Amino acid sequence: DVKVTQSSRYLVKRTGEKVFLECVQDMDHENMFWYRQDPGLGLRLIYFSYDVKMKEKGDIPEGYSVSREKKERFSLILESASTNQTSMYLCASRLGRDSSNQPQHFGDGTRLSIL
Amino acid sequence: AQSVSQHNHHVILSEAASLELGCNYSYGGTVNLFWYVQYPGQHLQLLLKYFSGDPLVKGIKGFEAEFIKSKFSFNLRKPSVQWSDTAEYFCAVKASGGSYIPTFGRGTSLIVHP
């Protein structure tokens, strides 16, 4: 069974800090995704990656960056955290670009609070 | 670009009631359709999916969904809900052969009273 592991379930940081959210998947999936989930807004895509060292902006990339140096790991970076980035962050992975009819597999989420 | 609309934001039912959650999408071409469920404190997981063939799709836990192409709809149904179905439900659509990125609806929160 696919396992997508996010490094923290809960995280509290201060305004202006640089924040790293880590995500690791164990099924050799090419595609990885970062979403934020807010009440009433559903899932909004921040960034995604088709493969190692590749990244594409999603719908709401402002204030975020990503890193994909290894296939299994996809990191989300908040360059200078702000209170409006308080949210639940979800990581997902999916088997390869040419198998895009495959479903995504999600991690448990990181609930991030910026004070 | 595709978009997804889930009309019911909050649904409250008693056990044994029937459930239908609406999902409509806008996209003129061929689509792949998904329903995901998120139980309290758990990760999102796939409930069912449609790619081609029989438009009536059966998923886990007694859920089913029907793809009606003429109505651009993919509504989720269950004939008799249980307390354990309390969760948030998300519909997602992806343009087949185009963008590889699915678009999610805003979700429907379902509460089932015992």
Side-chain angles (χ1 to χ4, degrees):
Chain A
D1 205 16
V2 178
K3 182 72 174 174
V4 179
T5 303
Q6 294 184 231
S7 53
S8 305
R9 287 298 298 268
Y10 301 94
L11 205 55
V12 180
K13 296 291 182 180
R14 295 198 178 277
T15 304
E17 280 193 72
K18 191 169 186 176
V19 181
F20 294 85
L21 303 184
E22 306 287 348
C23 175
V24 176
Q25 49 94 4
D26 66 355
M27 284 301 291
D28 203 36
H29 283 175
E30 284 84 0
N31 305 162
M32 295 189 75
F33 309 81
W34 275 107
Y35 294 90
R36 62 178 283 177
Q37 182 181 10
D38 299 289
L41 297 179
L43 275 69
R44 292 182 291 166
L45 183 65
I46 305 171
Y47 267 96
F48 60 98
S49 170
Y50 286 130
D51 211 331
V52 179
K53 297 190 184 295
M54 298 175 70
K55 57 186 178 183
E56 298 282 346
K57 292 180 180 179
D59 299 320
I60 51 165
E62 296 78 19
Y64 303 94
S65 62
V66 290
S67 172
R68 184 119 183 250
E69 295 298 316
K70 293 185 178 181
K71 193 173 187 179
E72 68 270 18
R73 185 181 297 270
F74 192 36
S75 303
L76 179 70
I77 304 154
L78 285 66
E79 297 290 345
S80 177
S82 63
T83 54
N84 63 10
Q85 292 178 309
T86 291
S87 186
M88 171 70 89
Y89 290 87
L90 300 181
C91 176
S93 73
R94 183 183 66 189
L95 183 65
R97 184 172 186 170
D98 291 335
S99 303
S100 61
N101 59 357
Q102 294 297 314
Q104 293 166 298
H105 298 266
F106 286 84
D108 288 336
T110 296
R111 187 166 293 282
L112 174 65
S113 296
I114 307 296
L115 304 179
Chain B
Q2 65 266 19
S3 66
V4 180
S5 177
Q6 292 182 243
H7 310 295
N8 317 103
H9 299 297
H10 300 279
V11 175
I12 301 174
L13 296 172
S14 298
E15 276 195 317
S18 64
L19 171 72
E20 181 161 2
L21 301 183
C23 174
N24 286 89
Y25 68 91
S26 64
Y27 184 74
T30 305
V31 292
N32 302 141
L33 297 156
F34 307 82
W35 275 99
Y36 287 87
V37 60
Q38 186 177 32
Y39 297 105
Q42 297 187 26
H43 60 271
L44 266 82
Q45 57 186 287
L46 183 70
L47 204 50
L48 47 80
K49 61 183 180 181
Y50 170 82
F51 295 129
S52 62
D54 189 345
L56 184 61
V57 179
K58 294 194 184 299
I60 60 172
K61 304 188 179 186
F63 285 90
E64 65 178 32
E66 186 175 11
F67 171 49
I68 303 178
K69 190 175 181 180
S70 61
K71 294 185 177 180
F72 298 89
S73 70
F74 190 55
N75 292 353
L76 182 71
R77 300 194 294 247
K78 186 171 183 178
S80 177
V81 295
Q82 300 172 313
W83 174 78
S84 57
D85 293 324
T86 293
E88 190 144 14
Y89 293 81
F90 293 92
C91 180
V93 62
K94 185 186 73 62
S96 179
S99 164
Y100 295 95
I101 307 304
T103 298
F104 283 81
R106 295 191 172 194
T108 297
S109 174
L110 172 66
I111 296 174
V112 180
H113 288 301

